[in-house]
Amino acid sequence: MASTYLLMAAGWAHSNLWGDMQRILNLIDGKLVPGESGEWIDSIEPATSKAHAQIAASNKADVDCAVDAASNAFNQWSHTPAARRSELLLKLAHEIDDHCERLASVEAIDQGQTITFARTVDIPRAAANLRFFATAILHDTDHVYHTDAPAVGSGASMTYVKHVPRGVAGCISPWNLPLYLFTWKIAPALAAGCTVVAKPSELSPATACELGKLAIDVGFPAGVLNIIHGYGKDAGEPIISHPSVPSISFTGGTATGARIASVAGPMFKRMSLELGGKNPFLIFEDADVDKAIDTATRAAFTNQGEICLCGSRIYAHESIFEKVVRGIAERAHTYAPGDPLDHKTRMGALISADHRAKIERIVDSAHALGGKIHCGGARPNNLPERVRDGFFYQPTVITGLVSDCDVEQEEIFGPVVSITPFATEDEAIALANGTKYGLASVVFTENINRAHRVADLLHAGIAWINCWMVRDLRTPFGGMKASGIGREGGIEALRFFTEARSTTVAFS
Ligand code: NAD
């Protein structure tokens, strides 16, 4: 099965095959072009640790060309009827569906996620994002305010509010759910009538490149969607600091978010920052414990724990603590790392050698702090030949950590979960709220009053009761505290890319 997907992926960029190595080119003004510097970055397949492509190492000169193209295209695109913008986005969604298997294999090779996850979550969700915003703009409404003659001053008036696209949108996305998160940004921007300069992560840029080719095929006008590849400092920061890019939609780490805010803030840019998480998963004694264990295991290890929403801190009531630890450690074995291209594999490779080294340091530190490792805590030693040199790590369950240690405070973003007992509801809430992050949270209880009471007290933008990662695209998505500012999703995402302009007519 793995070889089928390898064959499928072999042709993923045949249109720009240079020698033996695929080349990931920029999309600027409707054309696929190399970077101005002529330099390339090796793109490593995480499962094998071998280069499988080369990425244009772009810089400010490339960004300037892309912003010029986007600025030139803006007037026409922002006045293109919503029905036509919608039609193009729907065509693009359709192309993603048509190429789902091939895109999934490219994603699995480029990012290390399993082919099953790619073809059932990452790629279909990219199409769903495009469809959602393509249709949302057909049903959007604006408000009109009728004002009586006030006691003092002029007569009656009417004010209508129009949402006008803000201009060129800078969209910067991370490596963990590449096409999913890339489209989550560009879809509302394009739907709202903005043109885009987007940069996917240098660690997993391949499907964004493929999307760019599909956008050309379906007839997006030149300059409407521009995609720049390369390192954050060289190719991302010139987007953030460009004076002709008034809106910045960023998803990534908290430290990078702080850097972006320090550049864009003094320029009075509008920013949406979707940052890191250290999400608590609370299991009360009155929960459906088996369901909670199943869900907590999935929340800990899906996509190698490389989802910002993963539940990395589990708190279980002391009366069920032992059962929860045993249950999660047992189920962790079903996430044995393997070749991402094998459809039976449930855990793929970590994104890079550096990221795995970081996770190893964290687990060592947990050990040194007296933490008990119930499973995992090491690299797997039974991998298939093809992926023997890949960046794999076993699913790991740790107990016995105090809440203020680094392991409990800092985002790990890997297949490592800690479990801690609590005695009272107040204690559980205090533990859950005891980090600088505030992205997502989970509460498992069969007591409806407790469920809503606790969810309401958690410092998180998202609270799930008796479930995890259930998403309705209409709902606001985003975090509190160090997990970011702003909300994506639904109408909030469309509003982010527009300026609300009030126009008042006075009746004489
Ligand atoms: P990162 O911050 O290292 O990089 C994210 C993107 O920013 C990349 O495209 C990178 O090239 C670019 N970048 C880096 N420095 C930049 C700079 N100075 N200016 C402009 N762009 C720059 O994050 P990552 O390692 O790719 O992703 C992992 C992080 O993303 C985790 O912390 C995770 O929690 C977070 N994340 C958050 C969400 C969310 O919705 N809150 C979703 C997914 C991932």
Side-chain angles (χ1 to χ4, degrees):
M1 199 61 176
S3 57
T4 311
Y5 285 111
L6 261 180
L7 275 177
M8 211 178 274
W12 70 263
H14 56 85
S15 58
N16 57 9
L17 189 68
W18 293 19
D20 286 338
M21 192 67 84
Q22 315 286 350
R23 288 209 151 161
I24 293 175
L25 302 173
N26 293 329
L27 172 61
I28 299 178
D29 208 11
K31 293 179 208 64
L32 291 162
V33 290
E36 180 267 354
S37 70
E39 288 171 12
W40 300 91
I41 303 166
D42 278 347
S43 186
I44 305 297
E45 178 181 3
T48 62
S49 74
K50 309 278 185 311
H52 71 102
Q54 286 191 314
I55 310 161
S58 310
N59 59 28
K60 184 174 179 311
D62 303 297
V63 170
D64 287 347
C65 289
V67 176
D68 282 352
S71 300
N72 292 337
F74 176 67
N75 189 35
Q76 196 182 352
W77 182 248
S78 58
H79 290 98
T80 298
R84 175 64 182 151
R85 296 201 301 268
S86 173
E87 190 187 345
L88 284 169
L89 287 163
L90 289 172
K91 278 189 182 166
L92 190 54
H94 189 76
E95 288 296 308
I96 292 176
D97 284 343
D98 269 5
H99 293 84
C100 179
E101 293 297 324
R102 190 175 61 85
L103 288 169
S105 57
V106 172
E107 199 79 294
I109 287 179
D110 199 36
Q111 198 267 336
Q113 65 183 243
T114 68
I115 189 76
T116 304
F117 183 81
R119 61 201 285 278
T120 57
V121 180
D122 189 290
I123 306 300
R125 171 61 190 272
N129 288 340
L130 290 160
R131 271 199 190 94
F132 176 81
F133 289 106
T135 51
I137 51 169
L138 302 179
H139 306 285
D140 198 5
T141 50
D142 285 328
H143 284 105
V144 178
Y145 302 82
H146 295 279
T147 311
D148 289 346
V152 180
S154 61
S157 65
M158 178 192 82
T159 300
Y160 62 88
V161 178
K162 193 174 172 195
H163 291 95
V164 285
R166 300 192 82 230
V168 179
C171 298
I172 300 201
S173 53
W175 49 258
N176 63 315
L177 297 170
L179 198 61
Y180 176 135
L181 289 172
F182 189 77
T183 51
W184 188 229
K185 298 188 170 304
I186 66 160
L190 295 170
C194 293
T195 52
V196 168
V197 176
K199 193 194 92 61
S201 170
E202 63 276 21
L203 295 172
S204 57
T207 48
C209 177
E210 291 303 286
L211 183 84
K213 292 179 201 165
L214 296 175
I216 297 174
D217 292 348
V218 303
F220 271 84
V224 168
L225 172 62
N226 304 276
I227 304 174
I228 295 290
H229 296 284
Y231 293 120
K233 196 87 188 114
D234 302 332
E237 201 149 320
I239 300 175
I240 305 299
S241 59
H242 200 295
S244 301
V245 181
S247 312
I248 304 294
S249 176
F250 169 79
T251 299
T254 294
T256 315
R259 168 72 195 156
I260 285 172
S262 75
V263 174
M267 298 177 82
F268 306 111
K269 296 192 178 207
R270 188 178 286 176
M271 279 177 279
S272 167
L273 303 176
E274 301 292 340
L275 310 177
K278 183 79 178 171
N279 309 305
F281 192 117
L282 275 49
I283 311 177
F284 287 93
E285 66 279 18
D286 50 16
D288 175 341
V289 178
D290 286 330
K291 185 176 170 203
I293 290 171
D294 282 344
T295 311
T297 311
R298 205 160 45 80
F301 301 131
T302 298
N303 203 35
Q304 302 75 245
E306 295 172 328
I307 301 182
C308 58
L309 304 170
C310 278
S312 54
R313 294 180 291 144
I314 298 172
Y315 298 107
H317 188 264
E318 58 192 12
S319 64
I320 53 167
F321 177 71
E322 295 298 338
K323 180 175 178 179
V324 168
V325 173
R326 214 171 35 249
I328 294 176
E330 275 166 22
R331 284 164 180 74
H333 293 297
T334 65
Y335 284 83
D339 189 340
L341 295 179
D342 183 333
H343 74 283
K344 292 194 290 303
T345 301
R346 291 187 82 192
M347 182 169 291
L350 299 173
I351 187 69
S352 66
D354 284 352
H355 191 52
R356 180 173 61 181
K358 175 191 141 185
I359 288 167
E360 288 177 329
R361 278 196 304 275
I362 288 169
V363 175
D364 286 350
S365 147
H367 207 237
L369 288 165
K372 179 172 176 195
I373 295 176
H374 294 259
C375 65
R379 302 178 184 189
N381 54 14
N382 54 352
L383 290 162
E385 182 63 35
R386 190 185 91 82
V387 297
R388 203 144 284 169
D389 297 327
F391 312 129
F392 294 89
Y393 198 76
Q394 289 179 348
T396 300
V397 175
I398 308 174
T399 59
L401 296 173
V402 290
S403 63
D404 58 356
C405 71
D406 278 0
V407 183
E408 288 293 83
Q409 290 293 320
E410 292 304 327
E411 183 180 45
I412 299 175
F413 218 50
V416 177
V417 71
S418 65
I419 314 180
T420 305
F422 66 83
T424 65
E425 189 177 300
D426 285 350
E427 189 191 354
I429 293 165
L431 285 165
N433 289 339
T435 73
K436 67 181 179 190
Y437 296 102
L439 185 53
S441 57
V442 179
V443 180
F444 262 79
T445 171
E446 294 291 296
N447 177 333
I448 191 168
N449 294 323
R450 166 177 271 167
H452 293 287
R453 183 171 63 234
V454 173
D456 213 31
L457 290 169
L458 294 176
H459 301 164
I462 298 157
W464 279 298
I465 296 173
N466 296 334
C467 61
W468 174 70
M469 213 166 144
V470 177
R471 289 279 300 128
D472 179 328
L473 301 191
R474 292 171 299 177
T475 59
F477 176 92
M480 299 164 62
K481 303 195 286 184
S483 290
I485 51 172
R487 290 293 179 270
E488 296 190 325
I491 200 71
E492 311 224 11
L494 287 173
R495 293 291 178 259
F496 174 79
F497 292 106
T498 58
E499 208 70 74
R501 184 197 293 135
S502 299
T503 304
T504 301
V505 188
F507 302 122
S508 53

